[in-house]
Amino acid sequence: MAYADQEMSGNKIISLIVVALLHIVVGYAFISGLAYQAYEQVKEEITTIEITEDEPPPEEEPPPPEEIPDVQPPPVVVPPPPIQVPQQNRPQIQQQQEIPEKAPVVEKPAPVVKEAPVEKPVVEERPPSKAKAATPRGNTGRWGAQAQSSYPSRAIREEREGTVGFRLTVSPKGRATNCTVTSSSGHSDLDAAACKAMQRVARFRPALDDAGNPTTGSWSSRVRYELDNVR
């Protein structure tokens, strides 16, 4: 029994294989047949294509020749005969050989220019000037003695001497208002002592302007500091 079943199952497998092979063969034949038909159809369409050429356009007829109108030549103009003038009626041209002399040129005298009188400048006469410089009032030697009495003690100890040149500014009232050292002695204490002494003791007659009025002036001098005058 078991053997019979095995035999039947083997036959089924073989039949199934045969059926599958038949399907494959039929499918291949069907596919190859369709492909062949399609190839033949395409080939027929390709071979049956007709190539048509365009017909050339019809030739245009040439235009008729233009009619040239008859042009008549212009009439011939004959010039008139020349007119002869008799010689008697021709005007005679007289030639003047002599050249007239030029009229003499009369020179006009040059106009006389009168010089305008030169006016002399008017000089205003001014009164004589009354200007005057400031002058010392009193003995200037006493002023030098006053300066010696103010000899700086330190300069005496250090035995220093010197000459101080100065200039005083004199006010309209005759007082010395300012002192400027014009020539130093080389020692600042001697210079300062000389200016201080002069401003203290000096008195002046004030300077005068052109009208004789008192005005600011100046006065210059020198002071000599010597140790011999102190000892």
Side-chain angles (χ1 to χ4, degrees), residues 37-201:
Q37 290 179 2
Y39 171 73
E40 290 294 331
Q41 187 176 358
V42 172
K43 182 178 179 182
E44 185 178 358
E45 290 179 357
I46 293 172
T47 54
T48 56
I49 292 174
E50 294 182 0
I51 299 172
T52 59
E53 296 181 357
D54 296 336
E55 295 182 359
E59 296 181 358
E60 296 181 357
E61 295 181 1
E66 295 181 358
E67 294 181 2
I68 300 173
D70 295 335
V71 179
Q72 295 181 1
V76 178
V77 179
V78 178
I83 299 172
Q84 296 180 358
V85 180
Q87 296 182 356
Q88 295 178 358
N89 296 332
R90 291 181 180 178
Q92 295 181 2
I93 300 172
Q94 296 180 0
Q95 296 180 356
Q96 186 177 0
Q97 297 180 357
E98 296 180 358
I99 299 173
E101 296 180 358
K102 294 182 179 180
V105 179
V106 179
E107 296 182 356
K108 295 181 179 180
V112 179
V113 180
K114 295 182 179 181
E115 296 182 356
V118 179
E119 296 181 358
K120 296 181 180 180
V122 178
V123 180
E124 295 181 358
E125 294 183 359
R126 295 182 181 181
S129 177
K130 296 181 180 181
K132 191 176 182 180
T135 56
R137 180 180 293 175
N139 187 3
T140 57
R142 188 173 59 86
W143 298 353
Q146 293 286 342
Q148 287 289 330
S149 63
S150 63
Y151 206 121
S153 57
R154 183 175 179 179
I156 295 172
R157 290 194 304 269
E158 294 177 358
E159 296 182 353
R160 288 187 283 108
E161 296 179 341
T163 301
V164 181
F166 60 90
R167 181 175 63 250
L168 296 176
T169 301
V170 181
S171 69
K173 294 183 179 181
R175 300 294 298 271
T177 59
N178 189 23
C179 178
T180 303
V181 176
T182 58
S183 176
S184 176
S185 62
H187 308 287
S188 59
D189 53 352
L190 295 179
D191 297 343
C195 275
K196 187 176 180 180
M198 289 297 106
Q199 284 183 279
R200 186 177 68 251
V201 300

